[in-house]
Amino acid sequence: MRVIVNPDPCVPMVAISIWYDVGSRDELPGQTGWAHLFEHLMFQGSANVASGEHLNTLQSVGGSANATTSFDRTNYFETVPVGALELALWMEADRLATLPDHLTEEGIATQREVVKEERRQRYDNVPYGDAIEHLLELAFPEGHPYHHSVIGSMADVDSATAAAAAAFFREHYLPANAVISLVGDVTPEQGFELAERYFGGIPAADKPARAPSASLPPLADVPQKNLRRPVPADAVQYVFRLPVRDTRDFDAVTAVLSILGDGPSSRLERRLVRELEISAGVAGGVFDLIGGNSLGLVSAVALPGCPLSDLEERLDEVLVRFADEGPTEAELYRTKVRMEAEWLGALAQFETRADDFSEYATLFGDPEMVNRRLDQLLSMDADDLRRGAQLLLPDHRGVLRYLKEDDG
Amino acid sequence: MASRPAVKPPKPWQLPAPREAVLDTGLRVLVFDRPGQHIAAGGIAIDTPMNLEPGHLHGLSALTYSVMDDGTLGHPGTGFVEAVEDLGGSIGGAVNYAGAIGRMDVPAENAGKAFALADEALAEAQLADADVERRKAIRISDIEQTLAVPSARARLALREALIKPEYRAAHPRLGTAAQVEAIQPEDVRAFRDNYYRPAGAVLVVAGDFPEDPIAQLERLEKKFTRDPGAEIIHEAPEANPPACVLVDRPGSVQANVLYGSFGLDNADPRIADIWVACYAMGGAFLSRLNRVLREEKGFTYGAHMGNYPMRSGGLLTASASFRNDVAAEAIATMRGLVDISAAPFTQAEVDAAVHYAVGANPGEYQTAQQLVDAMCSLLSLGLDPGFPNRFQQALWEVTPESATSAFADLTREPSLIVVGDAAALEAPLRADGWNPTVIS
């Protein structure tokens, strides 16, 4: 188990971030949603901690705790007053060491229902909530680790048992597959000593092997899907296959998408919202992924009276023009200034810093990357961005359209 | 395995008092010096309660704020936003019933230039006809998006149910599509000219400033200098009688439920009591509602309860969403739990709530941005910067009896709002004794 300590005495608290190197990309066919469902089980009690006690106990001493599951990882985090740091570490160690032996069918049955309610609340019962599932299916072929969403299918979630969960934990929840970062009012000596005290006795095991990820080329045949739904406005979303996160080309596309679709001065907002007045809002962004490819996204909501075909035509013009011309000097300057402010702003929070250290240690084996990332971002030039923009040409898009149900 | 470690009590912590000044324009300034916070935050709480909007023009306050960064005389069009971005800055803000909050973040060394830009926007935003008309079309689209999201639709219905209709707070913050359609560019300019003024507004800044912001502001040749004008009156809304409303959303796979009453503002002496009570009922992970409805029954992804203070009064509400086939049973369970007559709050519940609040408090003001956001919200609600420390002190005075009594008084007859598929929900609700008014 790797341990990272970053002392910062600005407030009398410590942020703990544990990353397990397992996510939805590690799920097998018929098991979609399991990594996330099993994350819920981590709060259902272990040898010395009762169901719900992990969260409840930390809250009752002024801490907070939660967890999230993503494509590439599952992370568990706590922010606690320094006086509760040892208790938090002890509870994390207890569930890492003993959880598989304390799972119950009753506990998993309840959490299956909770997760299905989560799916209804966040995906099925809100406008455009199912977009991510369709975009993933457009971008990745069947059987690809990123073809399915993190939340998974209701049927697969229903099929999970306590025995299956125990096997999953025994395979993936191992010290060698985990990174823990402590950031806050704690010295390195204290942090390393406490990690040793609470986690040191857990038996070592080899980190599970994962097949190397193939890198797929950009989309070529413009896959598309039209959905007729009870949405308030027609909308279009483009998806692009990108290189793996944090590579120079990926960073360049991220910068391009910021110039195109982030904020009132962005090109898409200026063109589609301000000048042509055909869109109520545009957005551009990335899904940063480590397994062979990342994703780029561009979306626009149509104003009434503007058919999606017109909106798409105008959107495509903006993409093509940027790929031809590259950024203006002012755009390049502003996007770098923005990246710098965002990066420094995020690192000003100790929770984010703890998360970043665990992230770079888990995915790149190098927590020091946190200290080099800003220089990498700021070293990009106009040629990098022009090259990145080639990946966002309309020929490389997948298209998801939402059409209002009552449009006939 | 090491034995279970004991918890040491949290270190005492207080929010430091800001440095204060009043500029010659009448603008009050609060400065929080935060070493190490190189991205400084600035926020201005403008005293523009929505009850200043003419009755037929709900949404005017929010629309006015949205056009404020669409260009100034000195930086027309997107020039203003670009000038802020050139400083490494970004603009945000929020418009609520109590007032507007303008926000800007910039690297601290650019604070002086940021003050000049903010001053320019407040004084000389163009508010051009074309910008207002474009923002109207976008706003109408936003309103339709909001109505389509069941949790947001439920919150609108809750306000309407809990607050008497003669008060602005009973009605949607952004207005209705028809009201926004009726707003004319001259209405926007008049609202700005009449109510965006330095006297009554408060500027809050936080960060690691290389130069004293007060000195920078005093030196600045300020354009934002309107006369004080008439006194601003804030409405004090009153409660409606209890109601049961089912908002029909055909095809919904869940019922979004709000169960609540008219609550308390921060000036109420029971504010700490109700905070503790809500934490025990629906704040903690193993609060009464979440323990039963999520962890025992698996009816919901999460059940919560909170008192959301307005400038006067508040909204006290339990919330959760349930799949259709268990919704009626879940609502009955929720009602049973909120009725605490048979099960008053315990000392253990009070202790857990107070320890959570006290321990978590320092983290809530960690960054310059968090501090300015929190402070502007408080100021907008009519409070002073000393409120967070007084609230912390008041928490220690809460007893099981005081929390139980405040909660019981405020939840005698809650209203029920359900947003979902009436075809699936109406009959089971009626069978349970509810008599919902069904609206679409």
Side-chain angles (χ1 to χ4, degrees):
Chain A
M1 185 163 186
R2 285 163 290 171
V3 182
I4 296 160
V5 182
N6 176 231
D8 177 355
C10 75
V11 287
M13 304 185 85
V14 182
I16 303 164
S17 174
I18 302 186
W19 277 47
Y20 291 98
D21 191 359
V22 57
S24 63
R25 68 167 166 156
D26 298 302
E27 294 161 346
L28 301 174
Q31 303 179 353
T32 64
W34 282 20
H36 167 250
L37 171 66
F38 298 159
E39 170 227 297
H40 280 235
L41 301 182
M42 283 280 273
F43 295 92
Q44 295 298 299
S46 44
N48 298 292
V49 180
S51 181
E53 188 187 350
H54 186 105
L55 272 169
N56 210 56
T57 302
L58 290 178
Q59 287 177 337
S60 71
V61 296
S64 57
N66 212 331
T68 67
T69 306
S70 185
F71 298 96
D72 292 332
R73 91 291 181 281
T74 311
N75 72 337
Y76 298 82
F77 46 95
E78 287 96 6
T79 301
V80 292
V82 281
L85 171 61
E86 288 194 45
L87 176 66
L89 295 175
W90 178 80
M91 290 199 292
E92 284 291 3
D94 195 61
R95 62 185 180 182
L96 170 57
T98 68
L99 186 87
D101 298 326
H102 293 83
L103 297 166
T104 65
E105 290 300 343
E106 188 192 357
I108 195 169
T110 306
Q111 291 306 313
R112 280 199 302 262
E113 295 306 321
V114 170
V115 164
K116 282 153 63 188
E117 291 299 324
E118 178 177 357
R119 187 190 154 94
R120 292 184 186 99
Q121 185 172 325
R122 297 174 59 181
Y123 300 84
D124 297 339
N125 207 36
V126 286
Y128 319 105
D130 55 353
I132 184 61
E133 295 194 317
H134 294 291
L135 292 169
L136 291 168
E137 288 174 12
L138 287 171
F140 295 110
E142 193 133 355
H144 189 282
Y146 294 143
H147 179 77
H148 68 276
S149 66
V150 174
I151 194 75
S153 79
M154 293 278 199
D156 288 359
V157 166
D158 266 332
S159 72
T161 62
F168 189 92
F169 281 115
R170 289 198 176 97
E171 181 179 356
H172 296 289
Y173 281 66
L174 303 166
N177 215 27
V179 173
I180 182 168
S181 297
L182 308 177
V183 178
D185 195 1
V186 58
T187 65
E189 296 73 29
Q190 287 168 332
F192 293 130
E193 194 275 319
L194 292 175
E196 181 63 41
R197 187 187 311 168
Y198 293 108
F199 292 91
I202 301 174
D206 289 340
K207 186 175 166 62
R210 180 188 281 126
S213 316
S215 185
L216 302 176
L219 292 169
D221 48 355
V222 193
Q224 27 200 309
K225 194 180 264 187
N226 295 340
L227 303 173
R228 207 160 274 284
R229 291 280 192 277
V231 290
D234 291 351
V236 63
Q237 306 198 10
Y238 286 179
V239 61
F240 301 89
R241 263 190 215 150
L242 303 181
V244 159
R245 55 171 293 173
D246 296 14
T247 53
R248 196 157 184 89
D249 280 349
F250 171 83
D251 289 344
V253 179
T254 307
V256 172
L257 285 167
S258 168
I259 292 170
L260 289 176
D262 189 359
S265 69
S266 67
R267 285 200 187 192
L268 287 167
E269 170 121 2
R270 274 213 278 221
R271 184 70 182 143
L272 305 181
V273 180
R274 288 186 75 98
E275 291 172 19
L276 298 170
E277 302 189 10
I278 57 175
S279 171
V282 296
V286 291
F287 257 54
D288 48 356
L289 301 168
I290 196 71
N293 292 93
S294 288
L295 290 183
L297 303 171
V298 173
S299 63
V301 175
L303 279 173
C306 175
L308 281 186
S309 53
D310 288 0
L311 187 58
E312 288 171 43
E313 192 183 329
R314 301 301 196 158
L315 202 166
D316 292 352
E317 286 169 7
V318 175
L319 299 179
V320 169
R321 187 167 170 192
F322 192 95
D324 282 349
E325 297 174 353
T328 65
E329 250 179 67
E331 284 173 330
L332 184 62
Y333 171 74
R334 279 198 292 271
T335 199
K336 285 189 183 185
V337 170
R338 175 190 300 190
M339 286 188 294
E340 180 167 14
E342 284 175 356
W343 184 255
L344 295 178
L347 287 185
Q349 297 186 56
F350 60 83
E351 289 100 333
T352 315
R353 226 178 315 146
D355 190 52
D356 283 349
F357 284 128
S358 288
E359 174 176 0
Y360 282 96
T362 303
L363 300 181
F364 297 90
D366 182 7
E368 295 285 346
M369 262 179 84
V370 173
N371 296 323
R372 294 196 304 271
R373 277 294 288 154
L374 187 56
D375 288 340
Q376 289 172 358
L377 294 172
L378 298 183
S379 71
M380 283 188 290
D381 60 22
D383 287 337
D384 290 318
L385 268 61
R386 195 178 301 113
R387 198 175 59 247
Q390 309 307 311
L391 296 169
L392 300 175
L393 281 168
D395 288 351
H396 296 318
R397 75 199 193 281
V399 187
L400 179 64
R401 298 184 187 90
Y402 281 91
L403 301 158
K404 275 177 83 163
E405 235 166 24
D406 56 2
D407 281 358
Chain B
M1 184 80 200
S3 61
R4 187 186 186 102
V7 174
K8 302 177 194 86
K11 297 180 187 174
W13 189 89
Q14 288 237 307
L15 182 63
R19 294 188 289 123
E20 288 210 38
V22 178
L23 304 181
D24 52 11
T25 59
L27 181 67
R28 185 176 162 213
V29 181
L30 308 181
V31 178
F32 290 89
D33 295 302
R34 307 295 276 180
Q37 296 282 320
H38 298 293
I39 305 293
I44 184 165
I46 306 165
D47 198 18
T48 51
M50 288 185 176
N51 54 267
L52 296 172
E53 295 169 340
H56 60 296
L57 295 181
H58 288 179
L60 177 57
S61 175
L63 187 70
T64 301
Y65 184 78
S66 75
V67 199
M68 289 294 291
D69 59 12
D70 270 340
T72 62
L73 297 180
H75 294 88
T78 54
F80 178 76
V81 172
E82 287 163 6
V84 174
E85 290 178 351
D86 283 343
L87 299 180
S90 58
I91 301 176
V95 185
N96 219 316
Y97 293 92
I101 295 169
R103 283 275 288 105
M104 198 187 290
D105 292 336
V106 290
E109 69 266 22
N110 290 337
K113 291 174 185 157
F115 291 143
L117 284 171
D119 178 69
E120 183 180 307
L122 289 161
E124 297 183 343
Q126 285 181 299
L127 310 185
D129 289 5
D131 291 323
V132 173
E133 293 299 339
R134 186 185 69 254
R135 291 282 183 177
K136 277 169 57 178
I138 295 169
R139 178 53 47 81
I140 289 166
S141 173
D142 291 345
I143 289 169
E144 281 159 10
Q145 295 279 352
T146 304
L147 291 172
V149 175
S151 54
R153 182 73 188 84
R155 285 193 295 274
L156 290 177
L158 181 80
R159 287 188 167 271
E160 201 179 343
L162 295 186
I163 301 171
K164 282 192 178 172
E166 56 264 42
Y167 296 101
R168 178 64 183 86
H171 304 283
R173 196 173 59 87
L174 301 177
T176 63
Q179 287 164 332
V180 171
E181 188 56 61
I183 295 173
Q184 298 302 309
E186 49 268 33
D187 298 322
V188 169
R189 291 187 286 266
F191 193 83
R192 186 270 311 268
D193 292 345
N194 289 335
Y195 302 120
Y196 278 56
R197 49 204 196 195
V202 189
L203 174 66
V204 185
V205 297
D208 192 345
F209 297 102
E211 192 187 344
D212 180 14
I214 293 173
Q216 287 177 311
L217 284 160
E218 281 172 345
R219 220 168 45 232
L220 180 69
E221 268 187 52
K222 289 171 280 294
K223 299 172 180 161
F224 182 46
T225 58
R226 292 188 190 96
D227 290 335
E231 190 193 349
I232 304 285
I233 306 292
H234 288 256
E235 282 183 349
E238 297 170 279
N240 261 339
C244 178
V245 180
L246 172 55
V247 183
D248 188 19
R249 188 172 182 270
S252 283
V253 294
Q254 268 186 334
N256 278 69
V257 175
L258 295 177
Y259 183 60
S261 323
F262 197 80
L264 304 180
D265 53 64
N266 286 305
D268 193 288
R270 298 168 294 171
I271 190 69
D273 295 312
I274 201 67
W275 190 92
V276 166
C278 286
Y279 184 84
M281 179 60 69
F285 182 71
L286 290 187
S287 62
R288 295 182 181 195
L289 290 172
N290 204 53
R291 176 197 292 268
V292 175
L293 293 168
R294 173 183 153 128
E295 289 298 292
E296 290 175 17
K297 307 249 184 210
F299 285 165
T300 181
Y301 177 45
H304 309 281
M305 185 152 197
N307 174 65
Y308 305 96
M310 300 187 290
R311 178 135 174 163
S312 174
L315 301 174
L316 175 67
T317 180
S319 60
S321 13
F322 309 111
R323 58 189 177 275
N324 288 342
D325 57 326
V326 302
E329 183 187 349
I331 290 167
T333 308
M334 185 183 247
R335 175 164 61 172
L337 291 166
V338 169
D339 176 1
I340 52 161
S341 48
F345 293 115
T346 65
Q347 187 66 52
E349 286 177 311
V350 171
D351 289 347
V354 173
H355 291 154
Y356 170 75
V358 171
N361 188 42
E364 290 168 22
Y365 306 99
Q366 196 197 133
T367 65
Q369 288 68 33
Q370 288 170 308
L371 180 53
V372 166
D373 284 336
M375 207 43 67
C376 285
S377 294
L378 290 176
L379 291 160
S380 198
L381 291 174
L383 298 158
D384 66 88
F387 176 77
N389 290 338
R390 287 201 306 282
F391 180 76
Q392 290 286 314
Q393 206 51 47
L395 286 168
W396 292 107
E397 314 292 324
V398 175
T399 64
E401 295 73 28
S402 69
T404 301
S405 149
F407 190 84
D409 282 351
L410 290 165
T411 55
R412 286 196 198 291
E413 263 189 295
S415 292
L416 176 69
I417 311 296
V418 180
V419 177
D421 191 341
L425 300 170
E426 185 179 356
L429 284 174
R430 288 196 187 281
D432 263 6
W434 298 97
N435 184 22
T437 305
V438 182
I439 62 172
S440 54

